[in-house]
Amino acid sequence: MSVNDKQDNREHVVILGAGPAGLATGHEVSTHNSHKVTVLERNNFVGGLCNTIVYKGYKFDLGGHRWFTKNEHLNRWFQRLMEGEYIWVERISRIFYDYKYYSYPVSFGNVIKNSGIFTIGWAGITYLLSALQFSVFNKPIRNMRDAYVAQFGIKLYDMFFRRYSEKVWGLPCEELSADWVSQRSAGLSIWTVIQEALLNTKTDKKSLIEEFMYPRDGYVRIPQRMAEDIENSYADNSVRLESNVTAIKYNGPNDFEVTYKTQDGAEHTEYAKCVVSTIPLGVLPRLIDPPPKPEVIEAASSLIFRDIICVNLIVNKQQVSIDTWLYVQDEDVIFGRLHEPKNWSKAMVPNEETTSLVLECFCTRGDNIWEMSDDDIARQCVKDLENKLGLVKPGEVVDWKVVRALQAYPVYDLDYAPKIELVKEYLNQFEGLYIVGRGGTHRYNNADHSIEMGLLLGRHLLGYEVDYLAVNTEPDYQEIVSGGEPKRDAYRDEACQSE
Ligand SMILES: Cc1cc2nc3c(=O)[nH]c(=O)nc-3n(C[C@H](O)[C@H](O)[C@H](O)COP(=O)(O)OP(=O)(O)OC[C@H]3O[C@@H](n4cnc5c(N)ncnc54)[C@H](O)[C@@H]3O)c2cc1C
């Protein structure tokens, strides 16, 4: 059969968004030659939040992105995709709290040195009190604060979780759902922390991973490689940039018209059997015809996000620190996290003599941080680095490039879950419309989750019975390595059995 014969029989899938999730679906169906694939992306680059910008020869990810998954099949998929391009990076992280540096994972010697023996004692007492409240007297866990306190006690919560969480989310922990904690730190308890800190050995749960894989030339290489494969597999497959999807018309089961606008203002339409959306769940209903009821629009509009500004600095010294990440708890420091790309891959800088830093400022469009000019926020970051963290001296930062990204973090407020259900109920009536991805499902996915969801959806389109929406729902701390592979319906190397 010629390629053209095959093309004639292929169903058309239109994918909205060229982030990791959308590209993974396109990649899976392209690999199996089953569908004609058109990916529509509003940006002028692929990768979504996994972008890497290049400025004066320095490469900057949108915040430090590492590759990590407990799913060994997915790791092998990654290694095949990134053959010849991935490297292993040792993880060395620290926490900056109360103007002092703490190693992470926490070491007792370090905590005693920085905070004193009384702090440790107080942390132990408050932990026992919370164990009594939550485990013995079954006090209900109502929000993020309760979830952390139940796991670590009030003192450790206040030292290592409260301030950073509130910086990231922009809300008090009492106004945030406990779900985020159960997704991110269930299984990590005070006991695993104590065992590691005291014995300096690995517990049976090898927590807090120490090595991760990373694409040598920046994280964007993952989506770029997927996009290259999609376009190379068939002449009529395409990944179209600067194509902003503005409307989706449902004519009946597996019959869609997708309208998008290009940079020149021209409107185009694609006809599709299936539509895969990674457009934020809160936005998607507003694009669909027939439109939803007002209560669905209201629920969708109140699914909120946190935005981010990354301040990328060029520093005229060989190395600033040996950290892969530094988490900054103190509220009076404008950024919440920083990383030094050269510590991840030497290819991220153009020469040996200099280095660079990426400082993440969490914010919400329209707030005080967002409204600062690029130069003002960069100057404030440099001041904090010099005066509060002591990591650079005046004059060492020689240039900067500020990058802003909207909708970086889906917020789990106290009533986000029923809102999602209402929106999904409306979307379920459209046969052939699928949602995946971080914004697409309003789920706090890492890139590996979004890719796994996308690959599984690809399998589903190929006719296999897989539950792609089960990805990233299991309550198991995501950095704990041992304990085997995820229990959920996970991506596997071998073809799934059709049931
Ligand atoms: C600071 C930071 C650090 C992170 N660190 C890590 C890490 O270390 N490891 C890790 O695995 N993950 C990390 N992540 C998470 C990772 O970036 C995301 O999980 C991943 O990018 C999600 O991919 P996605 O395809 O689901 O969504 P996105 O990346 O958001 O992609 C969605 C795409 O849809 C496009 N789109 C939206 N609306 C339209 C429209 N109307 N028309 C056309 N296109 C549209 C967007 O432009 C975007 O390209 C981090 C995220 C942030 C913000």
Side-chain angles (χ1 to χ4, degrees), residues 131-366:
L132 208 62
Q133 281 181 317
F134 288 97
S135 302
V136 180
F137 295 113
N138 289 326
K139 183 177 170 191
I141 293 179
R142 300 154 305 177
N143 52 41
M144 183 185 270
R145 177 189 180 279
D146 288 351
Y148 275 130
V149 172
Q151 255 176 293
F152 299 102
I154 191 102
K155 182 65 190 167
L156 288 181
Y157 155 72
D158 196 54
M159 284 176 78
F160 296 121
F161 298 102
R162 181 181 66 78
R163 300 184 202 187
Y164 188 74
S165 302
E166 294 185 354
K167 253 186 173 179
V168 173
W169 301 110
L171 288 172
C173 290
E174 288 82 355
E175 291 176 30
L176 291 160
S177 165
D179 291 359
W180 191 86
V181 183
S182 57
Q183 265 179 25
R184 289 297 158 128
S185 67
L188 179 72
S189 71
I190 195 160
W191 301 116
T192 49
V193 173
I194 288 174
Q195 272 174 283
E196 290 226 338
L198 265 182
L199 305 173
N200 199 20
T201 56
K202 303 297 154 280
T203 59
D204 68 322
K205 290 184 169 182
K206 187 186 171 198
S207 69
L208 308 162
I209 57 157
E210 287 148 349
E211 252 191 338
F212 58 86
M213 286 186 272
Y214 182 70
R216 191 180 48 230
D217 288 300
Y219 212 79
V220 77
R221 287 298 300 142
I222 303 173
Q224 282 177 351
R225 289 278 293 246
M226 287 195 276
E228 287 158 16
D229 286 353
I230 291 171
E231 294 207 304
N232 290 339
S233 47
Y234 276 101
D236 61 352
N237 278 0
S238 60
V239 178
R240 297 185 201 157
L241 302 179
E242 298 182 330
S243 301
N244 184 27
V245 174
T246 52
I248 302 155
K249 187 160 186 292
Y250 179 71
N251 296 321
N254 294 99
D255 183 1
F256 294 89
E257 288 171 42
V258 177
T259 306
Y260 64 99
K261 266 192 186 161
T262 41
Q263 248 342 55
D264 54 7
E267 248 183 25
H268 311 260
T269 300
E270 283 291 332
Y271 296 88
K273 286 251 181 194
C274 334
V275 171
V276 173
S277 171
T278 70
I279 291 176
L281 193 62
V283 175
L284 183 65
R286 281 176 267 166
L287 306 183
I288 299 181
D289 177 15
K293 292 185 188 142
E295 57 263 35
V296 175
I297 293 282
E298 202 187 314
S301 313
S302 56
L303 290 172
I304 50 171
F305 280 88
R306 193 80 165 135
D307 308 315
I308 193 169
I309 301 177
C310 286
V311 176
N312 303 310
L313 304 175
I314 298 177
V315 187
N316 197 8
K317 75 196 252 186
Q318 269 197 347
Q319 193 176 34
V320 170
S321 83
I322 57 164
D323 300 321
T324 26
W325 271 297
L326 179 66
Y327 294 85
V328 181
Q329 307 270 334
D330 298 278
E331 293 102 334
D332 61 341
V333 176
I334 192 167
F335 52 90
R337 193 165 74 155
L338 75 83
H339 82 280
E340 188 168 356
K342 192 181 184 180
N343 292 348
W344 296 43
S345 164
K346 299 255 178 294
M348 299 297 280
V349 293
N351 57 60
E352 284 279 309
E353 291 70 45
T354 60
T355 189
S356 59
L357 293 173
V358 178
L359 279 50
E360 298 168 29
C361 303
F362 310 113
C363 52
T364 301
R365 179 160 47 174

Side-chain angles (χ1 to χ4, degrees), residues 16-23 40-43 45-51 62-68 219 243-246 260 278-280 283 287 308 310 325 337 344 360 362 407-409 436-440 444-451:
L16 319 182
L23 289 172
L40 302 173
E41 168 56 53
R42 67 178 169 190
N43 288 331
F45 55 86
V46 298
L49 295 170
C50 293
N51 191 26
L62 189 85
H65 273 70
R66 55 132 200 234
W67 175 266
F68 174 73
Y219 212 79
S243 301
N244 184 27
V245 174
T246 52
Y260 64 99
T278 70
I279 291 176
V283 175
L287 306 183
I308 193 169
C310 286
W325 271 297
R337 193 165 74 155
W344 296 43
E360 298 168 29
F362 310 113
Q407 299 175 326
Y409 293 89
V436 275
R438 176 155 153 140
Y444 192 76
N445 276 0
N446 276 330
D448 58 283
H449 298 123
S450 276
I451 288 175

Side-chain angles (χ1 to χ4, degrees), residues 74-85:
L74 195 59
N75 275 328
R76 285 197 288 276
W77 174 90
F78 171 82
Q79 287 167 334
R80 282 195 300 273
L81 180 81
M82 300 309 295
E83 180 76 53
E85 284 198 50

Side-chain angles (χ1 to χ4, degrees), residues 52-123:
T52 307
I53 63 144
V54 184
Y55 178 67
K56 298 189 176 171
Y58 294 82
K59 297 174 190 137
F60 298 101
D61 289 346
L62 189 85
H65 273 70
R66 55 132 200 234
W67 175 266
F68 174 73
T69 170
K70 288 186 286 179
N71 180 345
E72 276 313 314
H73 296 269
L74 195 59
N75 275 328
R76 285 197 288 276
W77 174 90
F78 171 82
Q79 287 167 334
R80 282 195 300 273
L81 180 81
M82 300 309 295
E83 180 76 53
E85 284 198 50
Y86 70 88
I87 54 173
W88 284 94
V89 180
E90 196 190 348
R91 167 171 159 160
I92 304 167
S93 296
R94 283 189 300 170
I95 295 171
F96 187 72
Y97 162 75
D98 254 358
Y99 285 55
K100 291 181 196 112
Y101 288 92
Y102 289 78
S103 53
Y104 181 77
V106 176
S107 101
F108 267 111
N110 187 225
V111 176
I112 290 171
K113 185 167 155 250
N114 281 335
S115 311
I117 190 79
F118 291 111
T119 304
I120 297 269
W122 185 231

